[in-house]
Amino acid sequence: MAPAKVVLAGAQGHGQHHLGILRELSGRGLVTLAGICDLRPVEVDFATPPQSSDLGELIVKTGAEFTVVCTPINTHADLAVTALRAGSHVLLEKPPAPNPDEHRRIAAAVAETGLSCQVGFQSLGSTAVPALRELIAGGTLGRVRGIGGAGAWARPASYFTRSPWAGRRRLNGVDVMDGALTNPFAHAVATALAIADAPIAEIETELYHANPIESDDTSCLRVRLEDGLTITIAVTLCAPDEQPRHEPYVTVHGDAGRATLYYTQDRLTVELDDGSVTTTAHERTGLLENLIDHARTGADLLVPLAGTERFTRVLDAIRLAPEPVPIPERHQIVHRDESGEVTGRVLPGAVGLTDLSARELALYSELGAAWTRVELLVSGREVAVYDWRPDLPATDSPRPYLYGVRTLGGVEVTEVRPEDHVHHLGVGVAISDLGGANFWGGRTYVKDRGPAWLADHGQQRHVAFTRLEDGGFAEQIEWIGPGGLMAREERTVTARPIGTASTQDPPQLGAWAPGSPPGSPPVGAAWALDFAFTLTNLTGEPLTIQSSATKGRAGAGYGGFFWRAPGTSHARRTLPGDERAVHGSREPWIAMSGRTPEGRDWTLIFVQADDPWFVRVEEYPGVGQALAWDTPLIVDSTLTRRVVTIVADGRLSEEEASALAAEVRL
């Protein structure tokens, strides 16, 4: 047969790899490079093809039967559709599209033209994939319980600036999705999916980045299939730059053994429980050759577009997931050149974590990776942890919250899901009735009826950290009610020294309390938690905040910032008066003190300027705002509030508490 006429769209970057393939196939007389479509001239050493930036015109002019599309991800659909409608079969680089809509648009053009589109998952051209499927089907591995994948490569800082779309989730409002799971390690995802056939039931994602990029460089996911099979993939681009390279792989776990496919090497290792180990090398068919063979002889297409629909669904789950979480530099090894410019970043232990994930079918957070925890530090000491993706029942009105909040002396002053009120979650923002939705948790107070279980619970969904540092963060949160999105919150949380702690590092404060047990902290050692939030109404009409008090339950005006202290503490008291005096008051500050079962005292001083205080001491220890103390609060556009809480060791006097509160400037 005459050589196949091929146009290459995108000859820069990875396009050079395709030029190499075309050079080799041209030398064998299988193809002719008919043209190059690129925005810049490209040097070619084995042909003199016409070059143009207009792909459709180039295909028509050259009569090209095949087009290789290797351009930025956000251009795939436009160029693939253009090529198909110009009469050319398409080899489309992975990922095929940045979202399902674009994938369907390409599929519609395939159906319309009757031409073929092959997707560039090279690993699926290996005979190792069908060989592994045969092992599973034949029962060699026994009952398969799951598939784990791992990948750990080193990428310099320049990798993430190699093009305008590198390391981006979107560019100029258009989806790009250039992340570790969706681009360099997309083959791991695609290969794992190619081994199992069942539809996808559920997808979980954890996305992080050590480099200052928009997308992820260290991530994992778990896919549950409808037949019960679990797939996990854990990857990083922040591995040490070591040799030999840590090759990515996919492992099938069965109750009689396991099989591992090192997909970049087409090497399959089978380890059975009887102690036998076999390794086989497999051949790989080039996807362009296969596409040409398919078009001319009817050979089966190895990676048809339709076969990548589940991959695009995984990609879409990553696209719709919360923005990747920054990994603080204290968890990294940062390499710099002589001028101080960052040349690369390494996450110690990340390689081992990818392997452990593949073995245990677990996510990074489940494996205890230090950088999966958002921690607040004051003078180098951990003083709080933030759960931005809580796994809670709907009746708790799931929401991000601080927990494990402690004094500088290590006394814990928060409680999560106590038996008396399981929907109390450390420190956060909760509203019992926002436009008819319960964002507090538990039962809803109904006028003339009392508390009742209603199908009205909302949830606060973390969207992104716009800033994340050891001393605090800024966060975007969506408030979603039973009927959909109701509000957006901008939350800012900062932890800082206060009092004499602000002038000492580490703090050496106060005097030891007389009679304190060994190990007790100094009285007066303190830090401040500055918690601010702005709630923006997205409903298009006034949004009403109510409380149980506005519906008839006197004194139950709770709603807004809320701090649940430990119920195990005793000798509880409030300042500048008892519970009856401070509950509902508009004092500029109030304080609560308690004593742990071990005899260690703590004091919390709350400072705000907007709302009455909601205080409980006897029933349980809790302090918060009362946005709607006795009258509904109407939010037309935005609501902004700020509460600063001073966390102190020891039982402070009214004079000591007042002095610390005076340092807060609202």
Side-chain angles (χ1 to χ4, degrees):
M1 295 184 182
K5 294 182 180 180
V6 180
V7 161
L8 173 60
Q12 314 292 337
H14 189 62
Q16 290 291 308
H17 169 75
H18 285 284
L19 267 181
I21 293 174
L22 289 166
R23 180 187 296 106
E24 191 266 333
L25 295 181
S26 178
R28 290 163 52 193
L30 297 180
V31 306
T32 296
L33 180 57
I36 289 180
C37 179
D38 207 294
L39 299 178
R40 292 177 291 168
V42 178
E43 291 187 9
V44 180
D45 60 5
F46 64 93
T48 55
Q51 301 192 28
S52 170
S53 60
D54 188 324
L55 180 60
E57 180 183 2
L58 185 62
I59 292 171
V60 171
K61 180 179 178 180
T62 61
E65 308 160 79
F66 303 92
T67 298
V68 177
V69 176
C70 184
T71 55
I73 301 164
N74 55 304
T75 66
H76 280 190
D78 285 344
L79 294 177
V81 170
T82 295
L84 289 163
R85 288 179 175 166
S88 176
H89 299 281
V90 173
L91 172 59
L92 181 61
E93 255 302 339
K94 55 77 189 164
N99 58 58
D101 287 343
E102 296 287 81
H103 191 286
R104 284 189 286 269
R105 189 153 69 92
I106 302 170
V110 169
E112 170 193 326
T113 61
L115 297 172
S116 299
C117 179
Q118 172 120 287
V119 180
F121 288 113
Q122 304 101 295
S123 62
L124 303 188
S126 173
T127 58
V129 174
L132 182 50
R133 288 176 58 91
E134 288 177 12
L135 279 174
I136 297 170
T140 302
L141 302 177
R143 184 181 64 85
V144 173
R145 65 179 178 87
I147 301 171
W153 285 339
R155 289 292 183 267
S158 58
Y159 174 83
F160 301 101
T161 58
R162 68 192 188 278
S163 67
W165 53 270
R168 301 293 297 271
R169 285 169 67 82
R170 58 196 65 85
L171 183 64
N172 299 325
V174 178
D175 292 329
V176 173
M177 300 308 298
D178 179 47
L181 283 166
T182 54
N183 196 357
F185 291 113
H187 299 288
V189 179
T191 303
L193 290 171
I195 296 169
D197 295 324
I200 293 174
E202 182 186 14
I203 302 170
E204 301 171 76
T205 63
E206 291 187 3
L207 311 176
Y208 307 92
H209 62 82
N211 288 275
I213 58 175
E214 181 182 82
S215 194
D216 57 292
D217 57 35
T218 302
S219 303
C220 58
L221 61 81
R222 178 159 50 212
V223 179
R224 299 187 192 276
L225 303 182
E226 290 185 1
D227 62 2
L229 191 72
T230 295
I231 297 172
T232 64
I233 308 290
V235 301
T236 182
L237 296 174
C238 299
D241 189 7
E242 298 175 345
Q243 295 297 329
R245 187 176 77 160
H246 188 274
E247 292 298 331
Y249 61 86
V250 170
T251 297
V252 179
H253 298 278
D255 57 17
R258 66 179 183 271
T260 302
L261 171 57
Y262 297 89
Y263 61 81
T264 60
Q265 300 175 329
D266 304 317
R267 178 165 52 93
L268 181 61
T269 296
V270 180
E271 303 170 83
L272 300 181
D273 290 349
D274 62 11
S276 63
V277 179
T278 59
T279 298
T280 53
H282 291 262
E283 296 182 349
R284 179 183 295 194
T285 300
L287 297 184
L288 179 56
E289 287 184 76
N290 173 246
L291 176 61
I292 294 170
D293 196 21
H294 168 75
R296 292 188 168 183
T297 71
D300 290 339
L301 205 58
L302 288 171
V303 197
L305 179 70
T308 64
E309 289 179 351
R310 290 186 302 162
F311 174 86
T312 299
R313 181 173 170 186
V314 171
L315 181 147
D316 200 47
I318 295 171
R319 181 179 71 91
L320 297 174
E323 299 294 297
V325 177
I327 297 175
E329 281 201 359
R330 63 188 167 92
H331 296 300
Q332 308 176 28
I333 297 174
V334 181
H335 296 298
R336 302 177 186 272
D337 60 20
E338 294 180 356
S339 68
E341 193 77 18
V342 174
T343 58
R345 296 172 186 268
V346 173
L347 287 177
V351 176
L353 281 168
T354 64
D355 290 334
L356 187 58
S357 170
R359 287 198 304 271
E360 301 295 330
L361 303 178
L363 302 177
Y364 285 140
S365 62
E366 296 167 343
L367 297 173
W371 32 265
T372 65
R373 285 164 49 99
V374 172
E375 303 161 334
L376 299 184
L377 274 65
V378 172
S379 300
R381 305 181 186 192
E382 181 186 307
V383 294
V385 183
Y386 190 60
D387 190 345
W388 78 98
R389 50 181 178 213
D391 182 13
L392 296 168
T395 51
D396 283 0
S397 297
R399 55 197 182 271
Y401 61 91
L402 287 155
Y403 69 98
V405 182
R406 57 188 65 96
T407 68
L408 292 173
V411 179
E412 189 163 337
V413 291
T414 52
E415 189 170 12
V416 174
R417 304 197 82 232
E419 290 186 6
D420 54 64
H421 293 80
V422 296
H423 48 277
H424 286 185
L425 306 174
V427 181
V429 181
I431 297 175
S432 61
D433 187 333
L434 177 69
N438 179 345
F439 288 95
W440 180 271
R443 294 178 294 174
T444 299
Y445 191 86
V446 180
K447 187 176 182 180
D448 300 326
R449 177 181 170 189
W453 287 106
L454 304 178
D456 63 346
H457 293 89
Q459 65 167 316
Q460 298 173 27
R461 178 182 180 269
H462 165 90
V463 175
F465 287 111
T466 55
R467 177 179 61 84
L468 180 58
E469 301 166 347
D470 291 345
F473 57 84
E475 180 186 22
Q476 297 175 342
I477 299 172
E478 292 178 338
W479 289 52
I480 304 170
L485 183 62
M486 299 179 67
R488 182 180 65 251
E489 180 191 344
E490 302 286 337
R491 179 176 297 183
T492 303
V493 176
T494 303
R496 65 175 186 273
I498 196 167
T500 52
S502 63
T503 62
Q504 299 184 39
D505 185 17
Q508 302 291 329
L509 308 170
W512 296 99
S516 295
S520 294
V523 174
W527 63 277
L529 180 72
D530 194 331
F531 194 116
F533 66 94
T534 295
L535 204 61
T536 299
N537 179 4
L538 300 179
T539 65
E541 55 188 32
L543 195 56
T544 302
I545 294 176
Q546 296 200 72
S547 66
S548 297
T550 66
K551 301 174 185 179
R553 185 182 173 193
Y558 52 83
F561 170 88
F562 182 71
W563 187 302
R564 172 60 195 247
T568 55
S569 293
H570 57 93
R572 301 194 292 257
R573 72 170 185 179
T574 58
L575 293 171
D578 61 14
E579 179 178 347
R580 180 175 297 182
V582 296
H583 181 59
S585 73
R586 288 183 175 272
E587 295 283 352
W589 66 268
I590 65 168
M592 175 182 287
S593 295
R595 179 171 298 149
T596 71
E598 296 76 27
R600 302 180 68 179
D601 289 323
W602 52 265
T603 300
L604 301 173
I605 308 165
F606 301 89
V607 184
Q608 60 136 349
D610 298 296
D611 305 291
W613 293 107
F614 174 83
V615 182
R616 288 286 185 263
V617 180
E618 296 300 327
E619 181 184 356
Y620 63 83
V623 175
Q625 294 171 301
L627 294 174
W629 172 249
D630 53 14
T631 305
L633 176 64
I634 308 300
V635 181
D636 291 315
S637 56
T638 61
L639 172 74
T640 297
R641 291 293 188 268
R642 179 183 173 205
V643 178
V644 178
T645 306
I646 300 168
V647 182
D649 284 297
R651 180 176 293 262
L652 303 189
S653 67
E654 182 172 342
E655 181 181 7
E656 290 169 324
S658 179
L660 281 174
E663 294 192 30
V664 175
R665 298 289 182 265
L666 295 175

